[in-house]
Amino acid sequence: MNSANRLFPPGRLQWLDAARGLALFGMIVTHIFSLSTDDLEPTWAVVFAGRSSALFAVLAGFSLVLASRSRALSTPGKAIAAAVIRGIIIFAIGLVLGTVSTRLAIILTVYGFLFIAASVLLPLRGRTLAALAAVWLAASPLVSHAVRAHWQLEQDFNVPSLDSLYDLAGLLQSVVLTGYYPALQWMSYILVGMALAHVPWSRQTAITASAVGLGTAIMASAISSLLLVSRGWEVLSASAAEEPGLLEQATTYGNWGTVPTDTAWWLAVNGPHTGTPPDLVGTAGVAVAVIGVFCLLFTSFPVLAPRLLLPLTAPGSMALTAYSLHVVLLEMTAGMAPTQEYVTHALVLIGIAMVWKALISRRGPLETAIAAIVRLAARGKRTRRAQVDRVG
């Protein structure tokens, strides 16, 4: 395979890579730039808060289904096993990065857990997944709220790391319910992505997805505003009276995964990383709209779009490697001015991704390693089955 084919692989859905690249660089914005001023006024960076990571998760669900369609994973059992293996490896990488990182919450541990949990859903049809996603978007925040209120579970601000393995029960609680990215609610994004992977994408589909996604996001915001204006602000202001800035935090900048449980009115807020129905529905809608826009661009301009958007598609095609490199790089660029630090991260990730794809492989290093492990596991399973057949 020559450099051109590695950079622009024929048959690959490069619009997904571009969307994934945008999600990656949007997340990096929130990792480097402050979301609020000293006076608690929102900055421009708040636009990316919650939305970028949600897009990343929706695309993870999309990719999970695409990966299961490989000829090497021709049966549901093989596809499920491969997803579980990927999930375990990603979970382990997340724990390692959580041990390294001192500046951000690592999302990979939750992704790994979600891959494992969603593996059993791979045989489901698109319509079933879409219906399940709709229910999960609405119901999972209510379930989380009820469980956390009943057991009086507090938010966990510890980033899962290798040390977390000494407390497996605590690690599971953090990953599923009380951490920065609670898997109970974040399964919604995976389900949305899995449903989208069954859609026959075309130019018209892209237009429809963009319109529906944007409309859904606007609707979620409007419903949240109506609920808060009707009575929510009054109740929540009283609830947050002893914690100055909590209400502004939860409604504007985000609340680190979940909301308080003293009143159900917290479920009406629409702030990023609150895990409420308006938050999940709104950010999922934005993700669908962004995916639709990129599909529209690539179907309308099949030659021009891949070349102009190569700085997004290259790192987006190896998002696990790029994200992991970013986490390590954050420890090395601490102390830089935000703009300088962001430019440094962008140039390093884009440069390494483009050079790697042009000279070595269309897959990133971590992606290549995971694919090799999955192939070895599948081959080992076939070998054991053949030996059993011979003995029989």
Side-chain angles (χ1 to χ4, degrees):
M1 183 179 290
N2 58 35
S3 296
N5 284 339
R6 282 194 293 267
L7 287 171
F8 311 105
R12 185 177 175 88
L13 302 179
Q14 295 181 67
W15 45 276
L16 287 180
D17 292 334
R20 202 176 291 110
L22 178 65
L24 174 67
F25 289 117
M27 290 168 66
I28 294 174
V29 166
T30 65
H31 298 162
I32 292 177
F33 291 94
S34 176
L35 302 181
S36 64
T37 65
D38 294 337
D39 299 326
L40 295 181
E41 292 296 325
T43 67
W44 62 272
V46 79
V47 173
F48 295 93
R51 298 180 179 92
S52 298
S53 51
L55 174 59
F56 208 58
V58 170
L59 289 165
F62 203 128
S63 300
L64 182 62
V65 173
L66 293 183
S68 72
R69 293 174 179 171
S70 166
R71 283 181 295 177
L73 306 174
S74 54
T75 64
K78 290 180 180 179
I80 292 172
V84 170
I85 293 171
R86 286 192 177 92
I88 292 172
I89 296 172
I90 292 172
F91 187 89
I93 293 173
L95 291 180
V96 172
L97 292 178
T99 306
V100 171
S101 175
T102 60
R103 297 182 60 187
L104 74 153
I106 304 301
I107 201 171
L108 295 184
T109 46
V110 174
Y111 276 6
F113 179 87
L114 290 173
F115 271 42
I116 297 169
S119 63
V120 297
L121 304 177
L122 285 172
L124 297 182
R125 295 183 177 182
R127 290 184 180 181
T128 304
L129 288 166
L132 187 57
V135 172
W136 213 284
L137 285 164
S140 62
L142 279 66
V143 173
S144 171
H145 190 274
V147 171
R148 289 183 294 111
H150 178 75
W151 295 103
Q152 298 183 340
L153 302 179
E154 300 293 333
Q155 283 181 291
D156 185 358
F157 300 116
N158 295 313
V159 178
S161 65
L162 292 174
D163 290 337
S164 303
L165 295 174
Y166 291 107
D167 180 14
L168 292 178
L171 174 60
L172 182 62
Q173 176 182 300
S174 177
V175 168
V176 176
L177 284 169
T178 58
Y180 288 96
Y181 309 101
L184 178 58
Q185 287 102 308
W186 278 68
M187 177 61 83
S188 304
Y189 299 131
I190 298 294
L191 290 169
V192 170
M194 293 176 73
L196 290 177
H198 289 273
V199 172
W201 286 89
S202 64
R203 190 172 185 275
Q204 185 57 50
T205 305
I207 295 173
T208 301
S210 301
V212 171
L214 181 59
T216 300
I218 294 173
M219 178 194 69
S221 179
I223 291 175
S224 172
S225 297
L226 287 173
L227 289 172
L228 292 177
V229 168
S230 65
R231 187 160 179 261
W233 283 114
E234 179 184 350
V235 176
L236 295 181
S237 295
S239 171
E242 296 183 2
E243 296 184 57
L246 174 61
L247 186 53
E248 292 80 4
Q249 180 74 36
T251 55
T252 306
Y253 320 118
N255 206 50
W256 303 290
T258 55
V259 288
T261 58
D262 59 301
T263 171
W265 278 101
W266 281 110
L267 293 172
V269 303
N270 191 33
H273 294 296
T274 51
T276 64
D279 172 36
L280 295 181
V281 173
T283 50
V286 170
V288 173
V290 170
I291 292 170
V293 167
F294 276 109
C295 179
L296 181 60
L297 285 173
F298 277 73
T299 52
S300 300
F301 308 99
V303 176
L304 184 61
R307 283 156 178 77
L308 288 180
L309 296 177
L310 185 59
L312 290 181
T313 60
S317 67
M318 53 183 78
L320 177 59
T321 295
Y323 178 87
S324 302
L325 179 59
H326 159 64
V327 172
V328 175
L329 194 59
L330 269 177
E331 301 303 310
M332 302 167 62
T333 58
M336 284 187 177
T339 301
Q340 180 187 12
E341 186 174 21
Y342 186 84
V343 170
T344 299
H345 280 251
L347 291 178
V348 169
L349 295 184
I350 293 171
I352 289 178
M354 291 178 65
V355 171
W356 180 274
K357 284 178 71 76
L359 301 180
I360 301 175
S361 172
R362 62 185 179 87
R363 284 196 181 110
L366 290 180
E367 289 78 5
T368 300
I370 292 176
I373 293 171
V374 170
R375 284 196 302 270
L376 285 173
R379 188 180 305 163
K381 187 175 181 180
R382 286 197 299 270
T383 301
R384 287 192 299 271
R385 183 178 299 170
Q387 290 173 344
V388 170
D389 290 342
R390 285 197 297 270
V391 172

